[in-house]
Amino acid sequence: MRPVRTAFAGALLGVLALAGCGQSSTTASPSAAPATAAPATAAGFPVTVEAGNGSVVLTQKPGRIVSLSPTATESLFAIGAGPQVVAVDDQSDYPAEAPKSDLSGFKPNVEAILARKPDLIVLANDLDDVVSELKKVGVPVLLEPAATKLDEAYDQIADLGAATGNKAKADEVVAGMRKQMEELAAAAPKDNKLTYYHELDVTPYAATSGTFIGQIYGLFGLTNIADKAPDAAGGYPKLSAEFVAQADPDLVFLADTKCCAQSRDTIAKRPGWSKLSAVKNDQVIALDDAVASRWGPRVVDLAKQVGDAVRKAVAG
Amino acid sequence: MLAGLLAGAADIGPGRVVLQLLDWLPFVSVDSGLTPVEQGLLFELRLPRVLLAAIVGGLLAIAGAGYQGVFRNPLADPYLLGAAAGAGLTTTVAIVFMKGDNQALLVPAAAFAGAVGGVLLAYALGNVAGRGGGTATLVLAGVAVSSFLTAIQTFLQQLKVEELQRVYAWILGDVGGGWTQIALVAPYAVVSVAIMMLHGRLLDVLSVGDDEAVSLGLDATRVRLVVLFAASLATAAAVAVSGLIGFVGIVVPHVVRRLAGGSYRVVLPLSLIGGAAFLVLADLIARTVLAPAELPIGVVTAFVGAPFFVAVLRVTKRVET
């Protein structure tokens, strides 16, 4: 349960942002564009952006962005659009200065969204036909669904850059990400023959190589034990605990450390898992659930963690 | 049972499993050729899973038979009086609001309390609503309580949509859990089954009608209460360790009745065995169809159970229940 304190603080932040108390939030990037109170028709507008909901035309630079996607929130702040963001959904917990509100990305409430007077809305999924409802009101909506490939993740960051008038900075962020990902992958010991298991939830749900996260592992030449599951089980199969125990992966990555308080100790207590080599050799890597489930700029951090684990496993 | 042990996602030859089982028997020593990891797997994962499936299946089926006897209604099932809705609500609360590493024990405790609480609430309501209204009032109270509790559960779920998947997975049922779950469920299982077995004959008397029962010197209300209590305890115990597995409680007693006649002295023990066999089989299918991925067992019970039930009904058309 989220402590009431943070909920209150989030609401307060949202209220402050609404009341225009001008949070002097400094974005992560030093070269952040200065906040524009009244969006002038900056150079480059109108622009057309190809998003998940087709071509979206923005006539002027948005100054009141509402982001209902934690990934989009991270990207917006990374590309210097932070000052243009007036509200983000209740799951957008990064970066800390994002104006978290009680808006929900899971149960989007059109009226609550419009109460923020947005001139751009970014969503990751179109639940309850929210996109078409918002369209009726005439506010530009960008649907940026979960990426299935790294390139899609890069594209989305570039899209957000174009849509918010931060194209140069966005391209810089993407180029930096590409470079870092390539360097990390190149530095990984080749032909390591290591197997891994990526856990999403204690049931245990896993992710296969075909998923976005699976492709990140793929950069490091790792073999995914979940790939033995038939296609009918989908990209996120519920594996049998027996199978994981017998496959005995070299590396175990836990993406359920926050939601479900999992760790090397807790998985060692599961029936039949105490003898896993990953547990014995201390190769259980605790990921941050949020970093491991988003497709924004922090995939680089995730890749670093994977790279370090691979190096350690090869050395050990 | 044996089939359940022999097959699974991990690739251990059936022959070697048999040898290993023999090896575990006292005074027998056979080299099964299993590695320590495989032995551990068999003992820590597969054996308890098969046992748990058997226990849960047996409990649900006998509870269903008990409920059908008490209500003299073929459509009664163990979840009729709010056990499922109560357990669903408390489990949702436990999953959504009580984060921590003790969830492994918290969830069964919450489910058990909720199942018992749901039934008690329905019973209290039924009593308030209609003194002596008999079973019909109680059933209606159960429906009301179930709807009410489910509404609260749904409300909580949509507040915390991000936890939806975990709650949903629990509802669909799971009989994996290891020896701890078996230890949790065993005492309640023994007590509730014993009580119901002792009351089989009395349920037979009840089935002819309350007036006849009274003329035979039987306290109909008391018998109903005792059986209801035992059946609810069995249901709560099953739900606590496995979630809401449907279909077993309603179908198995009918199949047994069709095949072995309607006397509760026979139906109760056979339901126990039949339910156990049915759920072991369902779990076997859940574990192997998509191996190494798994299907939730609740999906399998309905998918396999429904056609099977229809087949039994067709074959035994002549037999009047």
Side-chain angles (χ1 to χ4, degrees):
Chain A
M1 186 178 172
R2 204 173 48 175
V4 177
R5 255 201 334 277
T6 36
F8 177 70
L12 196 69
L13 264 179
V15 171
L16 283 178
L18 261 187
C21 286
Q23 295 159 262
S24 53
S25 58
T26 45
T27 44
S29 51
S31 59
T36 42
T41 40
F45 284 89
V47 289
T48 307
V49 178
E50 289 300 327
N53 52 332
S55 305
V56 179
V57 180
L58 285 106
T59 49
Q60 53 180 10
K61 182 174 169 175
R64 297 189 57 82
I65 302 171
V66 169
S67 165
L68 297 179
S69 149
T71 299
T73 302
E74 290 190 24
S75 301
L76 286 165
F77 277 79
I79 63 176
Q84 296 154 265
V85 178
V86 290
V88 301
D89 70 297
D90 56 359
Q91 299 299 311
S92 287
D93 51 9
Y94 188 90
E97 67 265 28
K100 199 160 154 178
S101 70
D102 53 3
L103 291 173
S104 166
F106 286 111
K107 293 287 289 179
N109 179 324
V110 175
E111 292 193 19
I113 297 168
L114 293 174
R116 310 271 165 167
K117 303 199 174 50
D119 49 14
L120 173 64
I121 300 159
V122 188
L123 294 156
N125 41 39
D126 184 14
L127 297 163
D128 307 339
D129 287 337
V130 65
V131 170
S132 65
E133 288 189 26
L134 288 166
K135 213 170 170 171
K136 286 177 198 155
V137 195
V139 180
V141 179
L142 286 181
L143 181 63
E144 299 288 1
T148 53
K149 294 197 287 289
L150 252 177
D151 283 334
E152 285 177 25
Y154 297 146
D155 280 351
Q156 291 194 2
I157 295 172
D159 280 354
L160 290 172
T164 60
N166 297 286
K167 190 170 180 317
K169 177 70 183 159
D171 292 343
E172 195 183 308
V173 167
V174 170
M177 284 171 72
R178 276 185 197 276
K179 186 163 160 288
Q180 281 186 291
M181 293 299 274
E182 276 159 22
E183 282 169 4
L184 285 168
K190 287 288 164 286
D191 307 322
N192 51 43
K193 300 264 191 305
L194 292 169
T195 56
Y196 78 96
Y197 158 65
H198 176 90
E199 173 167 294
L200 294 163
D201 144 343
V202 296
T203 314
Y205 271 91
T208 64
S209 323
T211 60
F212 178 76
I213 183 103
Q215 290 170 39
I216 307 267
Y217 291 110
L219 295 174
F220 296 88
L222 299 175
T223 309
N224 189 331
I225 62 161
D227 288 355
K228 287 212 172 73
D231 290 345
Y236 301 99
K238 176 186 175 203
L239 290 181
S240 113
E242 243 182 56
F243 168 74
V244 179
Q246 213 211 6
D248 199 14
D250 300 304
L251 298 156
V252 172
F253 293 94
L254 297 175
D256 50 6
T257 55
K258 297 267 191 306
C259 74
C260 327
Q262 292 304 298
S263 66
R264 178 185 166 196
D265 295 345
T266 58
I267 72 163
K269 287 201 191 91
R270 293 186 199 169
W273 284 31
S274 57
K275 296 191 181 70
L276 284 179
S277 357
V279 171
K280 278 207 294 267
N281 309 331
D282 198 12
Q283 300 288 11
V284 180
I285 297 96
L287 304 172
D288 179 312
D289 302 10
V291 176
S293 62
R294 295 176 192 173
W295 54 98
R298 287 198 292 171
V299 293
V300 176
D301 301 356
L302 180 73
K304 279 199 185 101
Q305 239 186 321
V306 178
D308 290 346
V310 173
R311 253 197 308 284
K312 184 171 157 248
V314 171
Chain B
M1 287 285 280
L2 203 55
L5 277 174
L6 297 184
D11 181 29
I12 304 175
R16 293 191 298 161
V17 174
V18 175
L19 288 176
Q20 184 62 49
L21 287 175
L22 287 174
D23 191 32
W24 277 332
L25 292 173
F27 316 119
V28 184
S29 177
V30 192
D31 182 22
S32 61
L34 290 185
T35 63
V37 169
E38 286 174 332
Q39 286 192 24
L41 200 145
L42 200 59
F43 184 73
E44 286 293 339
L45 283 167
R46 202 177 291 177
L47 187 62
R49 182 161 180 159
V50 172
L51 284 177
L52 193 65
I55 293 171
V56 167
L59 283 177
L60 286 174
I62 198 171
Y67 267 91
Q68 286 165 12
V70 167
F71 292 110
R72 282 189 308 223
N73 180 336
L75 289 179
D77 87 339
Y79 302 141
L80 182 73
L81 286 190
L89 174 59
T90 47
T91 307
T92 304
V93 170
I95 288 177
V96 171
F97 295 114
M98 303 181 189
K99 293 277 169 74
D101 46 9
N102 56 351
Q103 278 215 329
L105 282 177
L106 196 68
V107 168
F112 185 80
V116 173
V119 174
L120 285 178
L121 196 61
Y123 188 77
L125 192 69
N127 263 357
V128 171
R131 282 247 168 257
T135 52
T137 320
L138 190 53
V139 173
L140 291 175
V143 171
V145 166
S146 294
S147 314
F148 182 70
L149 295 179
T150 307
I152 301 177
Q153 182 195 336
T154 312
F155 171 70
L156 290 176
Q157 277 177 352
Q158 68 95 43
L159 274 186
K160 287 274 176 188
V161 190
E162 60 275 23
E163 299 287 355
L164 201 58
Q165 200 246 324
R166 295 183 60 211
V167 175
Y168 188 61
W170 179 84
I171 289 174
L172 285 176
D174 177 23
V175 287
W179 294 107
T180 33
Q181 307 278 50
I182 292 185
L184 286 178
V185 75
Y188 301 105
V190 171
V191 170
S192 57
V193 168
I195 296 177
M196 273 194 280
M197 292 292 196
L198 291 174
H199 282 76
R201 197 179 52 83
L202 301 179
L203 277 178
D204 282 343
V205 179
L206 271 190
S207 63
V208 290
D210 279 17
D211 297 344
E212 286 84 348
V214 171
S215 69
L216 290 169
L218 183 73
D219 183 349
T221 316
R222 204 189 62 87
V223 171
R224 276 213 189 84
L225 260 185
V226 172
V227 174
L228 205 56
F229 165 79
S232 302
L233 190 68
T235 307
V239 167
V241 290
S242 68
L244 301 178
I245 298 173
F247 219 78
V248 183
I250 189 165
V251 169
V252 172
H254 282 293
V255 173
V256 169
R257 225 173 268 128
R258 288 275 172 148
L259 300 174
S263 163
Y264 277 96
R265 268 174 303 181
V266 183
V267 169
L268 287 172
L270 283 184
S271 291
L272 185 72
I273 296 164
F278 177 63
L279 208 59
V280 168
L281 191 68
D283 182 49
L284 179 64
I285 293 170
R287 281 187 294 148
T288 47
V289 162
L290 287 181
E294 287 185 1
L295 284 169
I297 190 165
V299 173
V300 181
T301 49
F303 191 80
V304 177
F308 174 67
F309 189 38
V310 172
V312 171
L313 289 182
R314 276 192 59 93
V315 170
T316 57
K317 241 186 335 213
R318 306 281 157 76
V319 188
E320 279 305 313
T321 44

